[in-house]
Amino acid sequence: MLTRLLLASSLAVAALPAAATTQDDIVRADVLPGWRDGGRHFAALRLQLAPEWKTYWRSPGEVGIPPEFDWSGSENLGSVRLHWPAPHVFTLNGMRTIGYRGVVVLPFEIEPLDPARPIRLQARVDLGVCRDICVPAALEFAADLPAEGTRDAAIAAALDSRPESGREAGLGRISCRVEPISDGLRLTAELDLPATGSDEVVVVESGSPSIWASEAVASRSGARLTAVSDMVGPGGAPFALDRAALTVTVLGDRRAVEIRGCPAP
């Protein structure tokens, strides 16, 4: 993350004109306060990006900057779960990144420490925004969430745009074969999955932020989709792979599918 931020900062300094565009000209954020559903509260962060600018998904590709959230200033916040809408795949100069453009609604689901007390958000997100250059942005946001609230159409639409589960997409089988390489592991995922569209992109996530995963090389033969990704732990040291924590996401031009867990063949 630090390397990516330093790279983005150096690109920004080199490429921005003397009258530099400000962060507010590129991206703005506000909170959609949402509604309470039983013991959970659904709210969202809305990002409004300037035309032609983009920001990144949780797994942004080789040169992207993943968003990082800090919720520590909030009150009565037990846990937060982000629900990511299906992202888009961008290709520029042979490099592939994954993210969003325009208006982006990122829903989050909150478990309060005490359901009887109000929730106060005081948070920050660090993210990268890119056009011809990349600029690291830091956005602070705050809101008092209503005890009940009303269902918000923008949040509901973002929740509906999440990738399908394997079951919803008609997944027949998934397995992951693992073999050692010089500095880590090579994972080969095989999925019996109906096509999601042309130019399918497969993203493999280890479930651990300390384990780097390469851009997957995907190929399809009929209903069988195969993706190969190399994984490297801190310092190239051996590591144990938690198969239950693996996430395999397939992004096609018609739909997206997200599969949690990948057993051995």
Side-chain angles (χ1 to χ4, degrees), residues 93 170 185 215 258:
N93 298 327
L185 300 173
E215 188 173 282
E258 183 175 287

Side-chain angles (χ1 to χ4, degrees), residues 81-137:
R81 178 187 174 193
L82 284 160
H83 292 280
W84 298 89
H88 303 284
V89 178
F90 305 105
T91 303
L92 179 64
N93 298 327
M95 294 184 292
R96 188 173 72 198
T97 56
I98 303 172
Y100 308 97
R101 277 186 174 146
V103 177
V104 186
V105 177
L106 295 177
F108 49 88
E109 178 183 342
I110 296 173
E111 293 277 357
L113 291 171
D114 181 354
R117 290 174 48 224
I119 301 168
R120 169 68 179 171
L121 290 183
Q122 186 73 48
R124 169 185 169 123
V125 58
D126 294 300
L127 68 164
V129 286
C130 294
R131 192 177 64 179
D132 302 321
I133 60 168
C134 289
V135 180

Side-chain angles (χ1 to χ4, degrees), residues 11 24 28 68 72 98 109-111 117 150 168 174 187 190 192 202 209 212 239 251 259:
L11 287 172
D24 285 348
R28 298 189 182 192
E68 291 194 353
S72 60
I98 303 172
E109 178 183 342
I110 296 173
E111 293 277 357
R117 290 174 48 224
T150 57
E168 291 169 333
I174 182 173
L187 181 143
E190 293 188 339
D192 292 336
V202 180
W212 173 84
F239 62 91
L251 303 172
I259 301 143

Side-chain angles (χ1 to χ4, degrees), residues 7-130:
L7 174 60
S9 299
S10 64
L11 287 172
V13 170
L16 281 176
T21 301
T22 68
Q23 177 176 291
D24 285 348
D25 293 328
I26 299 170
V27 57
R28 298 189 182 192
D30 66 320
V31 175
L32 302 179
W35 68 92
R36 191 71 60 95
D37 182 2
R40 305 170 299 166
H41 193 103
F42 288 90
L45 178 66
R46 178 169 55 191
L47 302 174
Q48 300 184 65
L49 294 155
E52 299 183 13
W53 288 82
K54 64 179 181 287
T55 192
Y56 295 102
W57 186 50
R58 64 171 190 250
S59 181
E62 291 290 335
V63 296
I65 303 170
E68 291 194 353
F69 288 83
D70 179 1
W71 306 93
S72 60
S74 301
E75 299 174 12
N76 194 30
L77 200 68
S79 64
V80 182
R81 178 187 174 193
L82 284 160
H83 292 280
W84 298 89
H88 303 284
V89 178
F90 305 105
T91 303
L92 179 64
N93 298 327
M95 294 184 292
R96 188 173 72 198
T97 56
I98 303 172
Y100 308 97
R101 277 186 174 146
V103 177
V104 186
V105 177
L106 295 177
F108 49 88
E109 178 183 342
I110 296 173
E111 293 277 357
L113 291 171
D114 181 354
R117 290 174 48 224
I119 301 168
R120 169 68 179 171
L121 290 183
Q122 186 73 48
R124 169 185 169 123
V125 58
D126 294 300
L127 68 164
V129 286
C130 294

